[in-house]
Amino acid sequence: MVETTFDDPAEPEGEHCLGKFRRHPAEFSVIFVSTPLGTPNVYRVDCDDGVGPHEVCRFGDDRDEPVIWRGAWQGDEWCLWILENARELVTKPSRFDF
């Protein structure tokens, strides 16, 4: 098959999109990140606000572990909202495969 600019890029090895949520104009994707066997699960939130996806944060299953926020997202007023939606998708992934 010929790849076009309209084709979705393949997910990197071991990563899987658990679902998406939106807050106009931004679309957030929650990604399960592959980790070595026996280590805690890690999830990444990406944001696409029209210029391509970029990482917002990383977090694990343990709510006591700190969330690692990237760049300007550190301290942003949307952080709590983003994390609540992301954790909900971790516990109840979307039925749709993005």
Side-chain angles (χ1 to χ4, degrees), residues 9-56:
E11 292 177 343
E13 184 75 25
E15 292 191 355
H16 181 73
C17 183
L18 301 177
K20 298 181 181 188
F21 55 95
R22 176 179 285 280
R23 189 168 190 172
H24 191 70
E27 181 177 80
F28 298 90
S29 301
V30 179
I31 312 294
F32 170 80
V33 178
S34 179
T35 57
L37 195 58
T39 61
N41 290 332
V42 174
Y43 307 94
R44 182 181 77 236
V45 177
D46 288 348
C47 174
D48 188 346
D49 55 4
V51 296
H54 53 278
E55 186 172 330
V56 172

Side-chain angles (χ1 to χ4, degrees), residues 35-78:
T35 57
L37 195 58
T39 61
N41 290 332
V42 174
Y43 307 94
R44 182 181 77 236
V45 177
D46 288 348
C47 174
D48 188 346
D49 55 4
V51 296
H54 53 278
E55 186 172 330
V56 172
C57 68
R58 286 182 185 247
F59 64 95
D61 289 327
D62 185 352
R63 291 180 179 261
D64 293 331
E65 289 294 316
V67 177
I68 301 169
W69 295 94
R70 302 289 184 214
W73 288 104
Q74 181 69 42
D76 187 89
E77 63 185 58
W78 287 9

